[in-house]
């Protein structure tokens, strides 16, 4: 009896309930078909539609966790769910694919990136690590003001405020210098955050703007694929990426969630051209460029553009974690890993690697915070250490595995790894050492994640959100 509550909140129990319900329905229809033939025919039709949709989901391949959530969605909404899923299969126009010609990728991560993303490692002369918005935005606006040829910006959130005003000022200077300005803004991430007159201000200074998958009151086939990238590419010589969006909270000007912790990086040299190519691949629905790579150091930019090019980051993270011998240190605002990533973390901890993960103490989304805790608690028993960043909200998205650092826009969850357009870059050397130093600074301000006994409604709530987490 002690394990009965655990069984009640298991997937096996849900499957038994569904099987029992369908069995009862079939028996009922068999006994009463003569009296209820039209109803029976309707039930059979709905069942066939749902079954066809389930078979289509299973045969499409991809992440088993996402497929399982889709199957549960189809069962929960018979027929209607199948129609919604059918809509999602239409308009599969390839977008966001970058192809670099003339490259000769090195073996390892570079060769996989070349086969998966069409890109490979590139040289750079200098890179600067930013551990907060107070450092990041002045450097970004200074480089924009220096632009002479082009400024390309791609952001999930653009919100009115002081940072937006400073961006306008920097772009105005760039335009006076003769630079062309192109901006991609996500249609949901920035919905209701930027006013129409703010877009007019951008257009008035000469900027071209595209809204990625605009929010519309209709079923839109690709609405679930968001542009979560953070890219600023300037003159093909400098690129900024990381977790920072264009909003005041990222610079701690106005932050209702306490101190807003984030990370980012600026890259100077030929590697910046690859981020420019990522931008143009979304702007033009695909982009080709010639390979050029000079510089003192080498890094590996990478991206995901679902559904055609997705899964590289998840595979790269898994490989890095599986091979880690000393440390796996992660900053993430949301933690809901796939079975592949969770297994990699467990295996690293069991091998004796120091696996530590810092999540927020003050959440921006309560359901995401509950999901993070629900995903973290079972892993604590495997030797993985979780911490809450007590000064406020942890929005940084970076990982250090031994002597490699991954910095970009990826969260440690299904949405970033499989559904969103994302970007990142892998470093070794000095940037890795700075990222590791920043991690220990934050760890000293964090407290170990601990939880008491959960109430029955809260456990049920966590159970439900975990079921549909791959689709959130």
């Amino acid at each position: 009896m002690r394990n009965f509550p655990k069984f009640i909140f298991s997937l096996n129990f849900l499957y038994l309930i569904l099987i029992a319900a369908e069995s009862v329905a079939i028996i009922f229809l068999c006994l009463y078909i003569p009296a209820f033939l039209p109803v029976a025919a309707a039930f059979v039709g709905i069942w066939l539609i749902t079954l066809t949709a389930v078979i289509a989901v299973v045969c499409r391949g991809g992440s088993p966790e996402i497929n399982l959530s889709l199957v549960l969605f189809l069962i929960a909404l018979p027929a209607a769910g199948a129609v919604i899923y059918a809509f999602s299969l239409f308009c599969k126009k390839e977008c966001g694919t970058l192809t670099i010609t003339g490259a000769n990728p090195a073996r390892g991560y570079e060769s996989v990136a070349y086969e998966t993303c069409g890109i490979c490692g590139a040289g750079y002369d200098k890179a600067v690590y930013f551990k907060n918005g107070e450092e990041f935005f002045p450097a970004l606006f200074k480089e924009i003001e220096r632009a002479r040829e082009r400024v390309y910006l791609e952001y999930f959130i653009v919100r009115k405020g002081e940072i937006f005003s400073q961006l306008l000022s920097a772009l105005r200077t760039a335009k006076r210098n003769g630079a062309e300005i192109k901006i991609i803004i996500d249609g949901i991430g920035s919905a209701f955050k930027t006013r129409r007159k703010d877009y007019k201000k951008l257009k008035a200074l000469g900027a071209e703007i595209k809204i990625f998958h605009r929010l519309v009151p209709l079923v839109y086939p690709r609405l679930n694929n968001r542009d979560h990238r953070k890219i600023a590419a300037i003159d093909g010589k400098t690129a900024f990426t990381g977790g920072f969006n264009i909003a005041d909270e990222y610079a701690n000007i106005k932050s209702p969630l306490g101190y807003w912790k984030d990370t980012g990086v600026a890259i100077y040299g030929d590697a910046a051209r690859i981020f420019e190519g990522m931008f143009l691949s979304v702007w033009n629905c695909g982009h080709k460029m010639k390979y050029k790579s000079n510089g003192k150091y080498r890094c590996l930019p990478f991206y995901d553009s679902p559904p055609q090019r997705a899964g590289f980051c998840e595979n790269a993270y898994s490989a890095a974690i599986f091979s880690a011998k000393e440390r796996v240190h992660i900053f993430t605002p949301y933690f809901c890993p796939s079975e592949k990533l969770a297994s990699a973390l467990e295996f690293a901890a069991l091998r004796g690697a120091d696996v530590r993960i810092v999540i927020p103490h003050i959440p921006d989304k309560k359901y995401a915070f509950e999901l993070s805790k629900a995903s973290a608690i079972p892993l604590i028993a495997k030797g993985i250490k979780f911490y809450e960043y007590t000064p406020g909200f942890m929005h940084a998205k970076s990982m250090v595995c031994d002597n490699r650092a991954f910095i970009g826009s990826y969260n440690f969850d299904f949405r970033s790894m499989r559904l969103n357009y994302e970007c990142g870059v892998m470093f070794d050397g000095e940037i890795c050492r700075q990222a590791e130093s920043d991690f220990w600074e934050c760890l000293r301000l964090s407290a170990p994640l601990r939880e008491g006994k959960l109430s029955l409604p809260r456990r049920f709530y966590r159970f439900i959100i975990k079921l549909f987490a791959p689709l959130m």
Side-chain angles (χ1 to χ4, degrees):
M1 290 299 291
R2 197 182 307 174
N3 293 325
F4 184 72
K6 185 177 179 180
F7 174 69
I8 290 294
F9 293 101
S10 68
L11 283 175
N12 290 334
F13 180 75
L14 180 64
Y15 295 149
L16 288 175
I17 293 295
L18 291 172
I19 292 169
E22 289 195 32
S23 300
V24 170
I26 291 170
I27 293 171
F28 177 84
L29 291 175
C30 289
L31 292 175
Y32 294 97
I33 277 180
F36 299 98
L37 186 59
V39 176
F43 269 105
V44 170
I46 290 172
W47 181 77
L48 287 174
I49 292 172
T50 303
L51 178 63
T52 302
V54 168
I55 292 172
V57 168
V58 173
C59 292
R60 74 178 194 144
S63 168
E65 293 95 343
I66 292 178
N67 289 346
L68 175 60
S69 290
L70 279 173
V71 168
L72 289 174
F73 173 73
L74 295 171
I75 294 173
L77 292 175
V83 172
I84 294 172
Y85 177 66
F87 270 109
S88 72
L89 299 177
F90 299 145
C91 301
K92 292 291 187 181
K93 185 177 180 180
E94 190 168 354
C95 180
T97 56
L98 174 61
T99 303
I100 296 177
T101 59
N104 184 24
R107 293 182 63 184
Y109 288 91
E110 283 196 26
S111 61
V112 176
Y114 192 67
E115 291 296 325
T116 308
C117 309
I119 62 177
C120 67
Y124 67 96
D125 298 314
K126 185 178 75 169
V128 179
Y129 179 83
F130 303 102
K131 60 183 180 180
N132 54 52
E134 294 92 315
E135 297 176 355
F136 178 84
F137 288 107
L140 171 63
F141 297 148
K142 186 176 181 180
E143 292 299 331
I144 291 175
E145 289 173 349
R146 291 176 176 174
R148 293 292 185 273
E149 298 176 15
R150 53 197 178 274
V151 176
Y152 297 155
L153 305 177
E154 184 175 356
Y155 283 97
F156 181 64
I157 293 174
V158 175
R159 190 197 299 271
K160 60 184 179 181
E162 187 174 329
I163 290 296
F164 181 75
S165 298
Q166 292 179 25
L167 174 65
L168 283 175
S169 177
L171 290 174
R172 196 170 291 114
T173 302
K175 193 63 181 178
R176 284 198 298 265
N177 295 338
E180 72 167 352
I181 300 170
K182 297 180 185 291
I183 304 174
I184 298 173
I185 301 172
D186 186 75
I188 287 184
S190 296
F192 313 114
K193 296 179 177 69
T194 307
R195 301 163 297 185
R196 186 174 297 178
K197 66 179 182 180
D198 294 317
Y199 289 120
K200 288 182 178 179
K201 289 178 182 177
L202 287 168
K203 292 178 180 179
L205 60 83
E208 297 178 70
I209 301 174
K210 285 190 176 182
I211 306 299
F212 183 89
H213 293 175
R214 189 185 296 273
L215 180 62
V216 293
L218 298 170
V219 177
Y220 189 62
R222 298 283 296 280
L223 199 63
N224 203 31
N225 298 126
R226 308 311 321 162
D227 188 348
H228 193 248
R229 295 177 184 174
K230 288 89 173 159
I231 294 176
I234 301 153
D235 286 349
K237 299 176 182 177
T238 309
F240 291 76
T241 191
F244 298 98
N245 284 297
I246 305 299
D248 288 354
E249 57 266 33
Y250 293 85
N252 284 292
I253 295 172
K254 295 177 182 178
S255 183
L257 304 178
Y259 187 82
W260 192 287
K261 167 63 182 174
D262 221 321
T263 57
V265 66
I267 307 165
Y268 297 82
D270 286 342
R273 295 181 62 250
I274 295 183
F275 283 95
E276 183 177 89
M278 291 181 198
F279 172 92
L280 290 171
S281 72
V282 177
W283 185 271
N284 297 321
C285 287
H287 182 68
K288 290 184 179 181
M289 57 185 288
K290 290 184 178 180
Y291 182 68
K292 181 181 177 184
S293 179
N294 297 304
K296 299 177 184 177
Y297 315 101
R298 195 171 180 86
C299 66
L300 177 61
F302 57 89
Y303 72 93
D304 281 301
S305 294
Q308 285 81 9
R309 293 187 178 179
F312 174 79
C313 182
E314 183 181 29
N315 290 329
Y317 275 23
S318 297
I321 296 168
F322 267 120
S323 62
K325 297 178 181 179
E326 297 178 9
R327 67 184 71 86
V328 177
H329 293 162
I330 298 170
F331 285 147
T332 183
Y334 315 115
F335 183 78
C336 182
S338 64
E339 185 63 29
K340 181 190 297 185
L341 285 171
S343 297
L345 291 168
E346 287 182 27
F347 193 62
L350 290 172
R351 285 199 325 274
D354 180 40
V355 183
R356 300 174 190 253
I357 301 171
V358 181
I359 61 174
H361 174 65
I362 303 175
D364 64 335
K365 303 178 183 72
K366 290 186 178 180
Y367 78 87
F369 192 51
E370 287 295 319
L371 185 57
S372 293
K373 287 188 173 183
S375 302
I377 295 302
L379 294 177
I380 292 176
K382 306 292 185 179
I384 299 168
K385 303 177 182 71
F386 284 86
Y387 300 84
E388 293 184 52
Y389 181 68
T390 53
F393 184 60
M394 170 60 68
H395 191 259
K397 310 158 193 300
S398 60
M399 179 176 74
V400 175
C401 284
D402 288 349
N403 298 317
R404 289 192 182 97
F406 297 81
I407 302 169
S409 63
Y410 292 88
N411 297 316
F412 222 86
D413 62 6
F414 286 102
R415 170 157 290 282
S416 273
M417 299 295 174
R418 287 288 175 177
L419 299 175
N420 285 345
Y421 284 55
E422 305 277 8
C423 67
V425 58
M426 184 180 78
F427 288 99
D428 55 17
E430 182 58 28
I431 292 296
C432 183
R433 286 189 286 273
Q434 291 182 35
E436 176 69 359
S437 175
D438 186 26
F439 181 87
W440 284 104
E441 285 183 25
C442 289
L443 203 63
R444 284 191 285 271
L445 300 172
S446 304
L449 174 62
R450 291 190 176 90
E451 275 207 311
K453 190 175 180 181
L454 298 177
S455 64
L456 195 62
R458 195 171 179 186
R459 291 174 64 187
F460 181 72
Y461 175 63
R462 287 189 178 183
F463 171 71
I464 294 299
I465 60 174
K466 282 198 75 173
L467 283 179
F468 295 99
L471 301 180
M472 290 181 177

